[in-house]
Amino acid sequence: MSTLEKEILFDVTTVRKDFPILTLSVYGKPLVYLDNAATTQKPQIVLDTLTKYYTEQNSNIHRGVHFLSEVATFEYEKARGKVKNLLNAADSKEIIFTKGTTDGINLVAHSYGRTHINAGDEVIISAMEHHSNIVPWQLLCEERGATLRVIPMNDEGELLIDGFQKMLSPKTKIVSVVYVSNSLGTINPIKKIIELSHANGTPVLIDGAQSVAHMKVDVRELDCDFFVFSGHKIFGPTGIGALYGKSEWLEKMIPYQGGGDMIRSVTFEKTTFNDLPFKFEAGTPNIAGGIGLGAAIDYVQKIGLDAIREYEHELLEYGTDTLQSVNGLRIIGTAKEKASVISFVVENAHPHDVGTILDREGIAIRTGHHCTQPVMQRFGIPATARASLSMYNMKEEIDILVRGIEKVKEIFG
Amino acid sequence: MSEVNELYQQLILEHNKSPRNFKKLENATHDADGYNPLCGDHYHVWLKLDGDTIADIGFQGSGCAISKSSASMMTSAVKGATIQEAKEMLEKYHSVIMTKIGDEIPEEKIESLGSLGALAGVREFPARIKCASLAWHTMNAALTQKEKSVSTEN
Ligand SMILES: Cc1ncc(COP(=O)(O)O)c(C=O)c1O
């Protein structure tokens, strides 16, 4: 398909109509929602799916013989199939429903970590990880007597792959890195990282929290061993997410939590565990969330992740150019490969004050350390202001952002 | 009152730019650390007590304009006051910035706060109230010496 045809196919005005919240006014100004890395808004179809579930399908799953339970189970498992398709996994049993990215990483740190990581071993993460991909490994390393190592980055916010290569050794038991940085926007060369790790015999976990809604992911093509993401960052509900794991790993891993649904049989002497994926899904799951996530995936795929990526790249270029031309504004995170996240600082104005002033203009951005304190330390700043763009954002909104920043400069100039 | 210009009044901007008593006291008798983990605001407050009187006070650290200017104004306000007076000021100031949006604050009450009254507008910005109270909590912790470090998040 030519780019022209794609441009015709992707129409931001049409997309915006699917998101009722985007018509809101805040403080009498039209909402300009630029905090999509924190969470995305939900299209009507997701809201309708949730309502339909609770009004026509609500029941517990995997256990009832009755009609509703069968409907709910069918819908929930159908959603699992949609996650499988989104990631192009080989089999639905490799898709574990979780609470989100954090939960997925903790699951792997627990279930893989406690069986494969021992005293003297090493875990490698990167300098731009979200706290959720630092702390679980830190806890694990402390408990197992292992060491946490960190891939360094340059001043643009790009990982130093040479440095990473030198870190790999027989002691490396897992590499866990973020695909797209939530505070810098960097798209990491994860294919290269996976190749190098595999050549070293080491499995790789990819934190896909910031990638799923913005680009196509093919876990088989990437050949990653684990991939985690959160539903709420891809237009789905909160409290649901998924972990993809190669079945050869998942089979070998110990359960994460014990309880109902994850067992085959229980006696007081011995419990045998259920098959994948249920072995890792103890208790009644977020059924509505799973089904809602399925609706969100359908929605995104209908628009097409390639078209989304292309449109967002255009937004990123426009946003970078316009923001860069603002006097006294400095963009933090200038990697060559970037997703539509623009972190910045404004001379003489603390990001927190920038956030408040923009808020009163109806502009929602995030300010702070974005759960990546080590990134802030690396750049020697306490915090940044961050505009993170999604497919429903428009160039006009970036112009409004720039006018808001001009107002900040008037006050703090 | 909810306009940003009324939050960022000249007096506040001026204290932010040139904070008063922005120094470490070498001969402090009391001190404490204050931290807001949500936005990274971080200050240290030193006091030198002479009997019951705050003979000198200083602070250092970094943060947003609201936290820095309120720290600066606080040091100006309590220098030379007794501990009792400082605590009363804290209480009055706190009750003003915590007043629910829409509720009246008596004019005299704001006036009695002197220049601190400039921060009354913070109540219209609930997300920023913690910024405006961080330095005060830190001073209070230093005075009571119960803890060496306070956080806005517990
Ligand atoms: C890169 C990255 N990893 C992990 C997370 C954590 O996601 P969640 O809070 O949904 O578990 C986030 C969310 O901000 C993120 O951006």
Side-chain angles (χ1 to χ4, degrees):
Chain A
M1 196 187 323
S2 75
T3 34
L4 188 68
E5 273 172 284
K6 267 192 211 148
E7 263 163 38
I8 294 165
L9 284 182
F10 184 87
D11 176 25
V12 68
T13 322
T14 316
V15 171
R16 286 179 74 82
K17 287 203 187 103
D18 296 330
F19 291 82
I21 206 168
L22 296 180
T23 60
L24 272 190
S25 289
V26 294
Y27 308 114
K29 313 255 168 68
L31 170 68
V32 174
Y33 187 78
L34 305 177
D35 194 18
N36 295 286
T39 198
T40 53
Q41 300 302 346
K42 319 305 171 201
Q44 189 64 48
I45 184 66
V46 169
L47 307 177
D48 290 346
T49 302
L50 293 175
T51 305
K52 179 170 177 181
Y53 170 73
Y54 281 120
T55 45
E56 296 173 23
Q57 303 166 330
N58 178 51
S59 179
N60 212 325
I61 56 169
H62 299 147
R63 43 190 91 170
V65 293
H66 57 79
F67 175 78
L68 280 181
S69 178
E70 275 181 18
V71 173
T73 304
F74 176 79
E75 292 297 330
Y76 188 67
E77 290 307 318
K78 197 162 86 185
R80 193 191 306 277
K82 292 175 187 181
V83 176
K84 165 195 165 280
N85 289 339
L86 177 75
L87 303 180
N88 196 30
D91 197 311
S92 289
K93 72 176 189 196
E94 297 181 314
I95 304 298
I96 318 290
F97 277 123
T98 63
K99 286 187 286 184
T101 307
T102 306
D103 194 31
I105 297 170
N106 275 279
L107 190 160
V108 177
H110 178 277
S111 299
Y112 169 86
R114 279 173 183 73
T115 46
H116 292 78
I117 295 171
N118 295 302
D121 287 343
E122 294 182 349
V123 171
I124 298 182
I125 60 172
S126 89
M128 63 178 83
E129 297 310 320
H130 188 277
H131 294 164
S132 64
N133 199 25
I134 303 174
V135 185
W137 302 114
Q138 239 163 14
L139 291 171
L140 177 78
C141 286
E142 212 162 284
E143 182 193 312
R144 309 293 298 180
T147 306
L148 189 65
R149 306 206 52 192
V150 182
I151 310 172
M153 63 176 160
N154 63 20
D155 291 344
E156 279 66 52
E158 294 168 321
L159 294 183
L160 302 176
I161 297 304
D162 285 355
F164 167 60
Q165 204 163 357
K166 290 195 196 101
M167 270 177 201
L168 287 166
S169 82
K171 288 190 272 185
T172 317
K173 290 296 147 66
I174 191 162
V175 173
S176 188
V177 288
V178 69
Y179 197 164
V180 174
S181 158
N182 65 307
S183 51
L184 299 168
T186 313
I187 304 175
N188 286 314
I190 57 165
K191 198 148 164 62
K192 182 83 192 155
I193 290 173
I194 292 164
E195 270 170 30
L196 290 169
S197 304
H198 284 177
N200 190 59
T202 310
V204 180
L205 181 151
I206 299 298
D207 170 355
Q210 296 297 342
S211 73
V212 276
H214 308 284
M215 60 183 78
K216 251 191 192 146
V217 168
D218 183 332
V219 291
R220 276 187 289 172
E221 208 244 319
L222 289 169
D223 200 26
C224 56
D225 303 271
F226 303 102
F227 186 98
V228 291
F229 73 93
S230 303
H232 70 95
K233 297 198 201 261
I234 177 170
F235 317 110
T238 52
I240 188 79
L243 156 70
Y244 157 81
K246 281 184 184 166
S247 57
E248 64 220 65
W249 285 118
L250 295 176
E251 302 279 7
K252 280 189 270 196
M253 284 158 49
I254 55 172
Y256 181 36
Q257 292 181 319
D261 245 16
M262 53 80 70
I263 49 86
R264 175 165 297 125
S265 73
V266 177
T267 66
F268 286 115
E269 287 71 40
K270 173 111 190 111
T271 293
T272 54
F273 302 123
N274 204 338
D275 293 330
L276 291 177
F278 311 112
K279 178 171 105 177
F280 293 105
E281 295 180 357
T284 300
N286 183 352
I287 304 167
I291 296 171
L293 172 58
I297 291 172
D298 281 346
Y299 176 76
V300 166
Q301 292 195 316
K302 209 170 87 198
I303 295 172
L305 278 155
D306 284 334
I308 292 172
R309 184 172 184 172
E310 197 167 316
Y311 175 72
E312 288 181 354
H313 190 74
E314 221 177 282
L315 278 183
L316 171 70
E317 290 196 325
Y318 182 77
T320 306
D321 287 349
T322 22
L323 285 170
Q324 240 159 11
S325 64
V326 175
N327 243 334
L329 184 148
R330 181 161 65 100
I331 293 180
I332 306 292
T334 47
K336 271 190 230 57
E337 295 294 325
K338 264 188 79 170
S340 49
V341 171
I342 310 177
S343 256
F344 60 91
V345 288
V346 181
E347 210 171 34
N348 298 329
H350 190 280
H352 213 179
D353 297 311
V354 175
T356 291
I357 295 167
L358 294 180
D359 174 47
R360 297 292 156 142
E361 298 297 310
I363 307 165
I365 59 154
R366 171 114 182 242
T367 66
H369 51 63
H370 319 294
C371 296
T372 57
Q373 286 185 11
V375 172
M376 301 300 121
Q377 287 149 18
R378 169 67 177 76
F379 285 93
I381 46 179
T384 73
R386 178 189 71 187
S388 51
L389 310 164
S390 182
M391 60 173 177
Y392 43 61
N393 289 125
M394 305 178 290
K395 289 181 183 167
E396 292 88 320
E397 292 179 301
I398 293 169
D399 296 338
I400 295 172
L401 171 66
V402 169
R403 285 202 290 280
I405 295 169
E406 291 299 342
K407 180 145 192 184
V408 171
K409 287 173 54 187
E410 263 167 48
I411 293 174
F412 283 92
Chain B
M1 212 16 199
S2 67
E3 285 293 318
V4 284
N5 294 333
E6 298 188 42
L7 174 64
Y8 295 106
Q9 295 179 20
Q10 278 315 316
L11 189 62
I12 290 175
L13 294 172
E14 202 267 313
H15 272 267
N16 178 49
K17 240 185 187 159
S18 359
R20 320 290 194 270
N21 306 302
F22 196 62
K23 56 169 195 246
K24 179 180 177 180
L25 294 192
E26 292 304 338
N27 51 358
T29 54
H30 295 65
D31 72 298
D33 212 35
Y35 184 49
N36 180 345
L38 287 185
C39 50
D41 291 353
H42 195 177
Y43 294 99
H44 202 95
V45 173
W46 291 270
L47 296 127
K48 182 173 158 26
L49 292 191
D50 180 2
D52 250 3
T53 305
I54 299 174
D56 203 0
I57 180 166
F59 80 104
Q60 279 197 325
S62 66
C64 64
I66 302 303
S67 64
K68 189 178 267 178
S69 61
S70 68
S72 169
M73 288 176 170
M74 173 190 82
T75 59
S76 305
V78 303
K79 205 189 234 181
T82 65
I83 295 177
Q84 187 54 32
E85 286 164 345
K87 292 208 162 168
E88 281 165 16
M89 248 183 268
L90 163 62
E91 232 146 80
K92 206 189 287 174
Y93 171 73
H94 213 238
S95 83
V96 166
I97 62 171
M98 296 291 282
T99 306
K100 277 211 305 278
I101 299 173
D103 285 3
E104 276 300 319
I105 310 176
E107 200 61 42
E108 328 69 87
K109 195 167 175 182
I110 295 184
E111 269 166 27
S112 70
L113 282 173
S115 61
L116 286 174
L119 282 156
V122 169
R123 72 191 184 109
E124 307 273 354
F125 297 78
R128 307 306 299 278
I129 289 170
K130 282 176 181 168
C131 308
S133 52
L134 178 60
W136 288 86
H137 286 311
T138 311
M139 176 183 76
N140 200 36
L143 285 174
T144 44
Q145 291 283 306
K146 273 207 290 270
E147 43 205 329
K148 266 287 197 186
S149 171
V150 294
S151 163
T152 55
E153 295 313 302
N154 47 46

